[in-house]
């Protein structure tokens, strides 16, 4: 038996996102988002599932917060639905939207749970997509206006902020691969979108500083860690490109004010480059207070000149996979954390980590021991990184509850709490009680 003791101020938490749990998509003045549109487009989402009801957390948030209190978390990462605050993205403010998030945040604070707010977790107002979305600088300015509304309303009450969740998913998954909303499949569009969200991030941080908000702000990239299939240079370069696709492409502009040249060359070879205007990179490169890191899996890649824009191919090395098909390899989290040290000794939070394990309820229980195994392996790597001196301040399990897993709809379950989507009954899983113990002890026990 090994005991890994965590720092006394370590922030144990969980995470969710507005479109994935709230439901009430037509209530209290909420506008339409690109995910409402995408989900209703035939063939885009498994089973045609959409977020109209989801976990109904818009109405059941008090029950959800009671479960968070029982779990014992110190912080809860949630996102705000921009279409609830400014329904058409750039026009009138919807007071009922602000009122909901005030009720919600007040209830968290009443239960000694620190609100950790993501401003943008993919639910762009459709009216802004209709004018070109993140490719249009009017959307960038609309985001700054939305951010300012949120900073003025919640500054001080909310002390931990993130501008964007998973820039790679917003730019590449949603506009090059096309698997997420709005579903474009054009590399130049994805670079334009990526540049737009980086501009919006930088301007929002400038506004945060200008207003003198009492709090900290950052951004939350997702990283699919990659290792080369062999020691040869071509394979190592392929792994470097895959890592940079998720991380450096966004974090170099934020921390250094430049895109990584080897990736500019890679995209230019595919016929695309970011549309950088004078002053853009200085705007993007604003000092931030913390980094979120979302980590799920890693890949083994080798060079393949015919392997798409990154000229690589991922290899199936026979690792155990979760029910969504992602290989389980916790050392990738440790290595990704060390990789991020090149951006300096900044506070880091694991803002998402978890496993898709689709076990159901049997006799009132969910025996998701595979999720416990995944969490144990990854939290052990978190401890290892802290022991190495990495400034890791917290860990938020994805997710507090089963929810709408985007294009996978409701068939993929990441929650510590099971949700019956017909009755909306919540059932804490075995992993909920295991994590509750880790939090209560502030240590991790491993069997070895
Ligand atoms: N790597 N190349 N892929 C090429 C082929 O792509 C096909 C699909 O790819 C992906 C890649 C990544 C994801 C993903 C999902 N989550 C989980 C959410 N995180 C934010 C929160 O909302 C969670 O629901 N994180 N990442 C999905 C699909």
């Amino acid at each position: 038996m090994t005991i890994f003791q965590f720092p006394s101020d370590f922030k144990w938490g969980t995470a969710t996102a507005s479109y994935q749990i709230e439901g009430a998509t037509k209530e209290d003045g909420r506008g339409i988002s690109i995910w409402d549109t995408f989900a209703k487009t035939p063939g885009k989402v498994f089973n045609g599932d959409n977020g109209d009801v989801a976990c109904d957390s818009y109405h059941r948030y008090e029950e959800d917060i009671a479960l968070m209190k029982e779990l014992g978390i110190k912080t809860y990462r949630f996102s705000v639905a921009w279409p609830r605050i400014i329904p058409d993205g750039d026009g009138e403010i919807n007071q009922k939207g602000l009122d909901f998030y005030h009720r919600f945040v007040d209830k968290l604070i009443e239960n000694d749970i620190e609100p950790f707010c993501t401003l943008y977790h993919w639910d762009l107002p459709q009216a802004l997509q209709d004018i070109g979305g993140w490719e249009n600088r009017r959307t960038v300015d609309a985001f700054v206006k939305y951010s300012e509304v949120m900073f003025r309303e919640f500054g001080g009450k909310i002390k931990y902020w993130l501008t964007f969740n998973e820039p790679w998913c917003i730019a590449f998954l949603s506009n090059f691969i096309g698997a997420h909303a709005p579903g474009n499949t054009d590399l130049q569009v994805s670079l334009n979108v990526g540049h737009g969200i980086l501009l919006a991030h930088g301007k929002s941080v400038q506004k945060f500083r200008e207003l003198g908000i009492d709090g900290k702000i950052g951004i939350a990239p997702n990283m699919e860690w990659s290792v080369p299939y062999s020691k040869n240079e071509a394979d190592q370069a392929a792994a470097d490109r895959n890592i940079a696709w998720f991380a450096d492409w966004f974090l170099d502009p934020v921390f250094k004010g430049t895109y990584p040249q080897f990736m500019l060359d890679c995209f230019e070879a595919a016929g695309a480059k970011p549309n950088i205007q004078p002053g853009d990179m200085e705007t993007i490169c604003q000092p931030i207070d913390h980094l979120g890191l979302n980590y799920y899996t890693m890949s083994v890649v080798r060079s393949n000149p015919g392997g798409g824009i990154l000229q690589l191919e991922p290899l199936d090395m026979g690792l155990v996979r979760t029910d969504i098909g992602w290989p389980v390899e916790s050392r990738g989290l440790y290595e990704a954390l060390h990789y991020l040290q090149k951006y300096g000794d900044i506070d880091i939070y694991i803002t998402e980590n978890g496993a898709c394990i689709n076990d159901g309820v049997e006799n009132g229980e969910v025996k998701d021991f595979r999720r416990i195994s995944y969490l144990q392996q990854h939290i052990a790597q978190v401890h290892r990184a802290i022991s190495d001196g990495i400034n890791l301040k917290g860990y938020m399990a994805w997710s507090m509850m089963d929810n709408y897993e985007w294009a996978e709809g409701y068939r993929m379950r990441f929650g510590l709490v099971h949700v019956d989507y017909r009755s909306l009954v919540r059932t804490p899983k075995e992993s909920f009680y295991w994590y509750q113990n880790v939090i209560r002890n502030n240590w991790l026990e491993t069997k070895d």
Side-chain angles (χ1 to χ4, degrees):
M1 174 79 71
T2 305
I3 299 280
F4 296 114
Q5 182 70 50
F6 280 79
S8 58
D9 61 352
F10 192 71
K11 288 184 186 290
W12 296 104
T14 58
T16 62
S18 46
Y19 190 77
Q20 295 182 269
I21 68 164
E22 287 180 0
T25 52
K26 301 178 182 67
E27 204 156 320
D28 288 343
R30 177 184 179 278
I32 294 173
S33 78
I34 57 172
W35 267 96
D36 296 295
T37 305
F38 192 73
K40 293 180 170 77
T41 306
K44 297 297 185 185
V45 176
F46 173 76
N47 190 41
D49 290 344
N50 61 56
D52 286 349
V53 176
C55 307
D56 193 35
S57 290
Y58 187 79
H59 300 110
R60 298 168 191 254
Y61 68 89
E62 292 176 294
E63 177 186 356
D64 292 339
I65 292 174
L67 280 169
M68 295 175 208
K69 184 75 175 175
E70 181 188 349
L71 181 56
I73 59 172
K74 313 299 180 201
T75 188
Y76 176 65
R77 178 181 174 234
F78 66 100
S79 80
V80 169
W82 184 350
R84 290 196 190 282
I85 308 303
I86 304 178
D88 67 2
D90 193 16
E92 295 303 308
I93 295 168
N94 175 32
Q95 189 57 48
K96 286 183 177 178
L98 291 173
D99 293 346
F100 165 68
Y101 289 107
H102 273 299
R103 291 195 300 274
F104 174 70
V105 170
D106 290 347
K107 184 60 78 176
L108 283 176
I109 292 169
E110 191 184 302
N111 283 276
D112 298 321
I113 299 169
E114 183 83 63
F116 208 112
C117 177
T118 306
L119 286 165
Y120 187 80
H121 200 126
W122 307 355
D123 37 5
L124 181 72
Q126 182 60 49
L128 292 173
Q129 187 61 40
D130 293 344
I131 62 166
W134 292 110
E135 293 190 88
N136 187 333
R137 291 184 183 228
R138 282 178 52 197
T139 301
V140 172
D141 295 336
F143 178 78
V144 179
K145 176 180 166 184
Y146 155 62
S147 301
E148 180 172 0
V149 169
M150 290 302 296
F151 295 152
R152 287 183 184 280
E153 276 287 326
F154 294 91
K157 191 186 268 192
I158 296 175
K159 296 199 183 325
Y160 294 87
W161 299 83
L162 293 166
T163 53
F164 287 90
N165 179 70
E166 299 187 348
W168 180 88
C169 288
I170 302 168
F172 295 111
L173 184 60
S174 305
N175 290 282
F176 174 59
I177 295 165
H180 282 193
N184 294 314
T185 53
D186 181 301
L187 180 61
Q188 186 57 56
V189 171
S190 67
L191 299 191
N192 296 344
V193 167
H195 194 67
I197 61 174
L198 284 171
L199 277 172
H201 163 81
K203 289 181 175 214
S204 177
V205 173
Q206 285 176 321
K207 181 59 72 176
F208 189 85
R209 305 296 186 213
E210 183 190 304
L211 293 172
I213 301 299
D214 170 20
K216 295 176 184 288
I217 192 165
I219 190 168
N222 58 311
M223 284 185 72
E224 175 187 282
W225 185 249
S226 289
V227 297
Y229 173 63
S230 78
K231 292 280 185 209
N232 83 51
E233 274 184 28
D235 288 353
Q236 181 57 64
D240 292 346
R241 289 194 297 274
N242 207 51
I243 290 165
W245 194 31
F246 286 84
D248 307 47
W249 185 255
F250 302 101
L251 297 182
D252 274 23
V254 169
F255 286 97
K256 300 178 181 175
T258 58
Y259 283 102
Q261 189 57 51
F262 72 106
M263 293 304 288
L264 283 167
D265 297 343
C266 176
F267 291 140
E268 193 139 8
K273 65 179 182 179
N275 172 23
I276 303 169
Q277 298 300 310
D280 284 356
M281 302 315 289
E282 292 77 9
T283 298
I284 294 168
C285 186
Q286 299 296 321
I288 56 175
D289 305 305
H290 51 237
L291 255 189
L293 171 62
N294 295 358
Y295 175 87
Y296 290 92
T297 189
M298 63 173 275
S299 57
V300 178
V301 300
R302 72 177 172 189
S303 172
N304 174 4
I309 57 163
L310 296 187
Q311 301 183 45
L312 58 86
E313 62 175 327
L315 303 172
D316 180 351
M317 303 301 283
L319 291 175
V320 167
R321 292 172 183 263
T322 63
D323 293 347
I324 200 170
W326 300 347
V328 178
E329 181 48 271
S330 60
R331 74 178 172 95
L333 175 54
Y334 176 77
E335 291 176 15
L337 285 163
H338 272 282
Y339 185 81
L340 292 175
Q341 297 312 296
K342 70 178 185 175
Y343 296 112
D345 185 25
I346 187 168
D347 288 359
I348 299 178
Y349 294 86
I350 304 299
T351 36
E352 283 181 32
N353 177 245
C356 175
I357 303 294
N358 295 331
D359 297 321
V361 179
E362 287 178 21
N363 304 319
E365 296 179 313
V366 180
K367 298 185 183 308
D368 60 335
F369 296 106
R370 292 182 292 148
R371 175 173 287 105
I372 293 170
S373 170
Y374 179 99
L375 294 173
Q376 189 170 67
Q377 293 173 55
H378 287 76
I379 293 173
Q381 298 290 351
V382 166
H383 187 274
R384 196 176 156 210
I386 293 170
S387 305
D388 289 354
I390 289 177
N391 215 356
L392 194 38
K393 296 294 187 185
Y395 175 90
M396 298 155 200
W398 183 270
S399 179
M400 179 67 207
M401 68 190 89
D402 294 337
N403 58 56
Y404 183 78
E405 181 49 39
W406 308 111
E408 300 291 352
Y410 295 104
R411 65 173 168 174
M412 297 299 174
R413 294 176 176 269
F414 279 85
L416 297 170
V417 173
H418 179 278
V419 176
D420 179 319
Y421 294 110
R422 287 189 182 81
S423 66
L424 296 168
V425 165
R426 277 88 160 131
T427 307
K429 304 179 186 177
E430 281 301 326
S431 55
F432 174 100
Y433 299 108
W434 177 86
Y435 192 48
Q436 181 187 52
N437 211 36
V438 170
I439 296 169
R440 184 182 296 132
N441 295 330
N442 197 34
W443 75 56
L444 176 73
E445 294 175 17
T446 61
K447 301 288 178 283
D448 52 17

